[in-house]
Amino acid sequence: MKKINSYEEYLSNYEKSIEDPTVFWSDIAKTFHWHKQWDNVLEWNFDEPSINWFKGAKLNITENCLDRHLDSNADKTAIIWEPNDPKESAQHISYEELHQRVGIAAQMLKNNGVNKGDRVCLYMPMIPELAIAVLACARIGAIHSVIFAGFSAKALSDRVNDATAKVLLTADYGVRATKKIPLKEIADNALESCATIEKVIVFKRLDGSVNMKADRDFWWEDEILKVNGVSAKVESMDAEDELFILYTSGSTGQPKGVVHSTAGYMVYAEYSFRNVFQYNDKDIYWCTADIGWITGHSYIIYGPLLAGATTLMFEGVPTWPNPGRFWEVVDKYQVSLFYTAPTAIRALQACDLSFVDKHNLSSLRVLGSVGEPINEEAWKWYHINIGKGNCPIVDTWWQTETGGIMIAPLAGITPLKPAFATLPLPGIQPCLVDADGNEIEGNDVEGNLCVKFPWPSMLRTTWGDHDRCKLTYFSTYKDKYFTGDGCKRDEDGFYRITGRVDDVMNISGHRIGTAEVECAINTHETVVESAVVGYPHDIKGQGIYAYVICTVFDDESLMKKEIIQQIIKEIGPIAKPDKIQIVSGLPKTRSGKIMRRILRKVAEGDTSNLGDTSTLLDPSVVEEIKIGAIK
Ligand code: WT7
């Protein structure tokens, strides 16, 4: 399929996409396989919000990911799977084989009572069966909800219950570096409080040494055999039928289920993948994200498969058996397009350069970055040591809610600027607004980042709570989608995202709400109250700093350990605080609002100017907090 191939073409495409979005997107949509064409390209209003792309059309996204490529590319590798342990065998799955395995897995779901519109939760390791399960759901119109396999039992059960899911797919264990993660055991704990789950299908990643509950739990391998090689019938979906739910953190304790629908998501995932990475059919593409996050959905599974690409799935971690693992894998498969997170880059940057220099890396053509602002040093290290100065870096800004990349360079086509996400993709209309919601025009300005026109892969609702969607994203500023990010537009009109302006942290590229961590801490019986803030962290981008008020305790370090355990239990290890300070009070205004500004300053190690503290209920707590601050 055609890519934008010059800066002039980008500019003219952009202009066309703004002036005539309907014609622009229908031209792109025509390249896909539809059962029925749409009646209307776009119907929308941001008040409700109500967003309809390609209304009236019928399709199945997996036919576009799989069947469509079989005539010319049946033997092409769709998925390369690289295991955690380099001594274990890798897998190469062709488009033909993937097509077949998805069809059979889809029938397995049908045999287990899954129908169109049912929710299926996936709590699985990074193995090909996870991608297959995602596609199998989509094949029969079931709504998938992938839950990151690092989440705790409590986090898992909350998500299963919110989605009222019918079936859970999991594995006996997951493996990461030298750790064995007891996924089935965690799932069992979670399911004690999940009434809607009827069946659990368990893939045997290791030895299968887990408890199986009669009539509820079944082995994936057995269930597949029962299908007898018969593929499920493809479900014909409406353009706006829900494709998946993905839970993400916001400014309350309760994660929200971001809902994406079928046709618009498909069109934009493919379009953005092809153009940002400037994909060509000889490329070997590797995104190091986990499928438990949106990056894995859009740019390990859907985008690349829609484009007919070879996508690499990696089960392991960047630093095991040694910090050269990424680069060894790049050489092993001659990866040409490589997409990772700034936190991984910084972690590897901190290791000896010999781990990079042992490897050739000449296959690389484009490097990508996602998840948080990439700082200039990391950008340069990536550019020089990994890209050898020859590979454009696409710093891609987007969100779970946007479904696809919104602001980013098109590799080798549009200009680069270190630490800038640069320019919007065609069809994307970003704008900056001031505190009163007025749009800030012109260049060399700063404000809150909004989007003022719909794009095909935007979220449609938050599962089970449309008001929350409206309130969070469409009510702060009238007629605009609000991203929650602050942003600069420089003198050349280039965008630089400066970070969240709400109570959401970005820890190693993972979004975690401060309220969520506070709720977890507060469940500890000796905790009275807590306040959590993010602070700059060299490797993780942001670290978590928790201020906690406790009733009696004997041993402070034991108390802190218990708090950490509580968070691991409630959310998972990703939300572990880096610093915990036990305090006797929190800085509050007379109306009882916690002054987070002060707590952020202390966490940053900057206590010289805490601003006006005279409005505080009890200014003396600030002195105590300053003295006890954790360095
Ligand atoms: C938040 C979204 C998009 C997939 C991964 C995270 C931050 C993301 C960038 C970037 C600066 C970025 C934003 C955004 N973010 N990419 N290239 N430059 N900031 O998805 O968990 O939905 O988080 O990540 O703050 O709002 P997410």
Side-chain angles (χ1 to χ4, degrees), residues 182-222:
L183 295 178
K184 176 64 166 63
E185 190 187 318
I186 300 170
D188 283 341
N189 292 336
L191 294 185
E192 279 175 24
S193 48
C194 297
T196 59
I197 292 288
E198 294 168 10
K199 297 260 174 85
V200 181
I201 301 175
V202 189
F203 185 80
K204 211 177 281 176
R205 173 66 185 93
L206 291 181
D207 58 5
S209 59
V210 293
N211 291 324
M212 296 291 276
K213 188 169 167 180
D215 301 328
R216 187 195 72 180
D217 302 350
F218 300 88
W219 290 108
W220 174 295
E221 292 79 352
D222 295 345

Side-chain angles (χ1 to χ4, degrees), residues 295 371-373 395-400 485 497 500 506 511:
T295 310
E372 56 177 309
D395 175 358
T396 61
W397 174 83
W398 57 298
Q399 310 177 294
T400 304
D485 280 322
I497 284 72
R500 303 289 306 194
N506 191 326
R511 199 204 288 198

Side-chain angles (χ1 to χ4, degrees), residues 26-39:
S26 65
D27 282 350
I28 293 165
K30 276 179 200 146
T31 62
F32 292 83
H33 174 70
W34 305 85
H35 300 160
K36 177 184 172 290
Q37 285 282 311
W38 48 91
D39 302 318

